[in-house]
Amino acid sequence: MSLNRAAKLVGIALSAAVLSQTTPAVADTPTNPYIKARIAYHFDLAAGQQPENIALGPHGAIYLNQAVARQVVRLHPNGRQQVLATLPAPTDGGVHTPMLGFALLTGLVRVDDGTLYFLYVAGTSDLTGLWRLKPGGVPERITPLPADSLPNGLGLDSATGEFYAADSALSTVWRMPIGGGAATAWATGPELAPHGTLGANGMKVHEGAVWVTNMSLGTMVRIPIRCDGSAGAFETKATGLAGIDDFEFIGDSDRIVAALDVQNEVAIIEPDGSHSIALTGKDGLENPTSVAVRGHTVYIASATWVVRKDPNLIIAHLR
C-alpha cells in the first residue's frame, strides 16, 4: 500500500470520529492563551513524514516519530531531521494492521539517559509492540503485543518503571515493564472501546493515575493506580472533545493541552472538565496529533491525515 493511500484511509477513519459525536450545545470561546504561535518545521508528506508523537530532551532537543515513514527522528534548530531509526516494514506491507491497513509508529517517551521508547503497530506478531532505542544503538522490540492490537498513546510511571499503552482497537490499557518482558492487560472497559473508528488513543501517567482519551467518544478518562498496582474505577473527566488525540499536562497541574485531530484545534481542558479552544487551523494546525509542554512553550505536531497539505510542528507560548 502506498504512503498516500495509507494516510487517506486514516483521514476517512478520523472524519468518521467527528461525525459520530454530538457537538455540545454551548461552545467555549475564551481568550486565546497563546502568543507567537508559529510553524517551526515543515515535513514531507509524500515521504510519510507525518508526526504522531513528540518527546522533549535537554538543551531544547525535540524528538518525533514520523508515523507512516516508520522513523524516529531528532529535529535540529536549523530545520534538519536526523533519522535515528527506521523500523522494518512487515512482510505483508501492514495490510493486516487493525482498523488502518498499514504499519505505523505511535507513542514516544524519552527517559533521562536518552533512551527512546515507542510503539510499533504492524499487524504482525513479530513486529507489533514496545520498542527501545538506546543512544547510538539500534531499535529492538522489548515487549510483544498481539497482532490484532493497535497500541497508540504511551505513558511512563517513572516511580514504578512501568509503561502503559492505550489500545485503540482492543479497548485495553496495557502495562509493560521498562526493562522489557510480557505485557499485562491492565484495564479494559467500554470507556476505551472504539465506535466506528479509533477508541482509546492519547495516554499520560499523572499523579498516581493513568489518563486516556477516547477519540471516537470525544472523552477523557482517569484510571487510578491502586496501591497494589491494579486499576481503579474509571472516572470520566471531560466530554465533548470531538476527535481528541493525545495531550499533555501543564506543569504539575490538572490543566491539559489537548490535540483535537479532525477539528484542527488545540484545546485547554480545565480540572472541572470544561474546555476552551486555543489554536485552530488559522494558526497552521493540520490535524494535530500530539502536544508537548516545556515551561511556557508548547509544541504541537500536525500529521495532516485529512487536510493533506502541510505536516508540521508548531511552537507556541503560553501567556
Side-chain angles (χ1 to χ4, degrees), residues 209-295:
V210 172
W211 296 62
V212 189
T213 65
N214 186 312
M215 174 175 270
S216 59
L217 294 179
T219 55
M220 171 87 67
V221 298
R222 178 183 182 272
I223 312 171
I225 303 172
R226 292 173 173 158
C227 294
D228 63 359
S230 63
F234 287 67
E235 177 186 6
T236 300
K237 299 295 292 184
T239 61
L241 299 162
I244 188 170
D245 202 316
D246 216 338
F247 62 97
E248 183 60 277
F249 289 90
I250 300 174
D252 295 327
S253 75
D254 284 348
R255 299 184 75 222
I256 292 168
V257 188
L260 307 186
D261 195 320
V262 184
Q263 303 290 75
N264 287 331
E265 294 174 342
V266 166
I268 302 293
I269 306 173
E270 303 295 342
D272 65 1
S274 64
H275 73 275
S276 57
I277 302 305
L279 297 174
T280 70
K282 294 180 180 179
D283 299 291
L285 297 177
E286 291 200 11
N287 308 124
T289 54
S290 59
V291 298
V293 179
R294 181 172 16 221

Side-chain angles (χ1 to χ4, degrees), residues 31-144:
T31 303
N32 188 328
Y34 292 113
I35 56 173
K36 298 181 181 177
R38 64 183 178 88
I39 298 177
Y41 297 87
H42 297 273
F43 306 117
D44 186 347
L45 178 61
Q49 294 178 359
Q50 295 173 260
E52 179 67 17
N53 287 94
I54 311 168
L56 303 178
H59 311 299
I62 305 170
Y63 301 88
L64 295 175
N65 50 15
Q66 298 288 24
V68 182
R70 310 185 315 279
Q71 293 179 335
V72 179
V73 303
R74 177 173 178 172
L75 302 182
H76 291 266
N78 63 1
R80 182 174 70 91
Q81 286 192 78
Q82 177 186 359
V83 177
L84 303 178
T86 301
L87 273 288
T91 55
D92 64 2
V95 295
H96 292 103
T97 300
M99 305 184 76
L100 299 178
F102 67 97
L104 75 161
L105 296 190
T106 59
L108 182 64
V109 172
R110 182 190 182 278
V111 298
D112 289 343
D113 69 359
T115 301
L116 295 167
Y117 295 84
F118 51 93
L119 296 163
Y120 187 21
V121 187
T124 62
S125 58
D126 62 324
L127 293 174
T128 302
L130 177 65
W131 288 66
R132 175 175 64 198
L133 178 63
K134 295 182 178 180
V138 297
E140 56 180 333
R141 189 175 70 160
I142 62 172
T143 296

